[in-house]
Amino acid sequence: MNETTEPDLSSPVLLSVLVCIVSIILNILLLIVIIAFKLSRDSNRFLFIAELSSATVVWTVAVLTREGLYLSGFDVYGSMNVCKTLLVIYVTGAHFDCMILFAIAADQYLHVAHPLRYGDWMPRRRAVQVACLLIIFTLIKMGITVGVWDDSIPCSYFYNIPKWHFVWSIFDLFVMMIGVSTFQLLTVRIARRQMRQLQKTGISQVSAETIRRHWRGVVTISLVCLLIFSSWSIGQSLIIWFITADINLTEPFFMKFTLVGTYLNYSRGIWTPIIYGIRSPEVRLVYAKIWNHFAKCKENRVTEISTCT
């Protein structure tokens, strides 16, 4: 039996706390924008983006809770139930994110490749059903992870879970990533063909504004997928390394590698709201309105203070 504990992921703990807080704030802001201004009314894309941001808030709160317990002096890995709950939420979050990205990529492909049939193939009711199915699949995976968890070993994700579970998780994640990449490549190809046709002849099966909106959406989703996949890269390499080689988790190099992968993974939550804030005209417009509102309130407050004095 391996008497080992998880590598110390709490240092620098303040960095992870800062990243988590920023991630939560940005994703809650994006959720408010989508819900309050009804951006999901005309597009299933924003429905799935809202689900992605909600999931990000959940797993980020789990990470923030763990780091907060570290700061308070609580022995997280000494409490099996707390440790297991937080680790399962955190690890399963990556798979949920990937399934949502797959749904976004597939939905976008149907929207760009078959704009006239999209409304029949992917009505709002079906999109909601898909979003609910993703949650159900994730809960099932969480249940399986908890079921195979070995409580007789000190809490460490690498040793509490059998290696077949790691193989299954990596395979599942890579299949989803390949699916997302395939849909994105197909959509990029179609969108580029539409743009070339528009530039060459000035006419197309859909309006020029629709084509430009399609292209902007394709580039935006591609950037989100690329940055999120990059955030997973070291973590997944770490797991593959662990299941294919007999390594000691307490080795200095492995611990440093784990730290870099962990904090890179933490950062994946900030990319969606940032990219959409920059690339999406709808979200950018709402962000600008919110900023102008606060700036105006601040200006009015300064004026009131000056008048009173």
Side-chain angles (χ1 to χ4, degrees):
M1 183 179 297
N2 297 296
E3 295 295 334
T4 181
T5 57
E6 192 78 2
D8 183 9
L9 303 182
S10 63
S11 178
V13 65
L14 292 180
L15 175 61
S16 61
V17 170
L18 177 62
V19 172
C20 289
I21 291 176
V22 171
S23 176
I24 291 173
I25 292 174
L26 290 177
N27 281 280
I28 290 178
L29 179 60
L30 181 59
L31 279 171
I32 293 174
V33 168
I34 293 174
I35 295 173
F37 293 87
K38 300 180 180 180
L39 296 184
S40 61
R41 178 176 53 193
D42 301 322
S43 173
N44 292 326
R45 175 188 57 183
F46 281 111
L47 172 67
F48 293 121
I49 290 297
E51 186 175 33
L52 180 61
S53 290
S54 301
T56 300
V57 170
V58 172
W59 70 255
T60 306
V61 167
V63 173
L64 191 59
T65 300
R66 185 179 69 176
E67 302 296 355
L69 291 174
Y70 272 124
L71 288 175
S72 66
F74 182 81
D75 185 9
V76 178
Y77 293 105
S79 176
M80 179 61 71
N81 291 332
V82 174
C83 175
K84 177 167 59 175
T85 301
L86 296 179
L87 281 177
V88 169
I89 294 175
Y90 169 63
V91 174
T92 312
H95 296 270
F96 190 39
D97 288 356
C98 201
M99 286 192 293
I100 297 175
L101 291 177
F102 183 86
I104 293 173
D107 177 78
Q108 181 182 241
Y109 170 76
L110 293 176
H111 193 205
V112 174
H114 306 282
L116 300 180
R117 299 181 181 179
Y118 175 76
D120 296 328
W121 289 354
M122 201 64 176
R124 176 49 52 88
R125 182 178 179 182
R126 186 165 298 168
V128 172
Q129 290 173 346
V130 171
C132 292
L133 281 175
L134 299 182
I135 297 175
I136 293 173
F137 289 153
T138 302
L139 292 176
I140 292 174
K141 185 173 182 62
M142 291 177 68
I144 294 175
T145 304
V146 172
V148 301
W149 192 279
D150 187 356
D151 291 336
S152 64
I153 300 175
C155 187
S156 170
Y157 178 71
F158 289 100
Y159 286 121
N160 293 95
I161 298 295
K163 287 194 175 183
W164 66 262
H165 188 279
F166 287 112
V167 175
W168 171 44
S169 297
I170 290 292
F171 177 78
D172 176 48
L173 199 61
F174 271 95
V175 167
M176 286 291 176
M177 291 173 67
I178 291 173
V180 171
S181 301
T182 301
F183 274 122
Q184 282 301 111
L185 290 174
L186 291 173
T187 309
V188 167
R189 182 180 179 183
I190 295 172
R192 287 186 62 185
R193 185 169 65 240
Q194 292 176 347
M195 285 292 291
R196 285 196 298 266
Q197 182 181 7
L198 178 64
Q199 293 170 354
K200 184 176 181 180
T201 64
I203 57 175
S204 180
Q205 295 180 349
V206 293
S207 67
E209 179 58 30
T210 299
I211 291 176
R212 294 188 182 95
R213 188 169 62 249
H214 285 172
W215 178 251
R216 188 167 54 242
V218 169
V219 174
T220 301
I221 295 298
S222 298
L223 288 173
V224 170
C225 293
L226 178 63
L227 290 171
I228 292 180
F229 288 169
S230 298
S231 301
W232 290 335
S233 58
I234 294 182
Q236 300 310 312
S237 300
L238 186 66
I239 294 177
I240 294 175
W241 183 15
F242 175 75
I243 63 179
T244 56
D246 186 15
I247 56 177
N248 184 0
L249 295 181
T250 59
E251 291 180 359
F253 176 77
F254 189 88
M255 294 179 67
K256 292 179 181 179
F257 196 62
T258 302
L259 278 173
V260 174
T262 299
Y263 292 117
L264 184 62
N265 200 10
Y266 288 173
S267 69
R268 82 175 192 264
I270 68 176
W271 299 125
T272 301
I274 289 178
I275 294 300
Y276 267 90
I278 297 173
R279 293 282 311 170
S280 173
E282 301 94 337
V283 177
R284 188 170 62 244
L285 179 61
V286 176
Y287 280 176
K289 287 181 179 179
I290 294 174
W291 176 262
N292 292 335
H293 174 74
F294 279 105
K296 186 176 180 180
C297 290
K298 184 178 179 180
E299 182 180 350
N300 292 338
R301 186 176 179 183
V302 171
T303 304
E304 293 175 0
I305 294 175
S306 300
T307 304
C308 293
T309 55

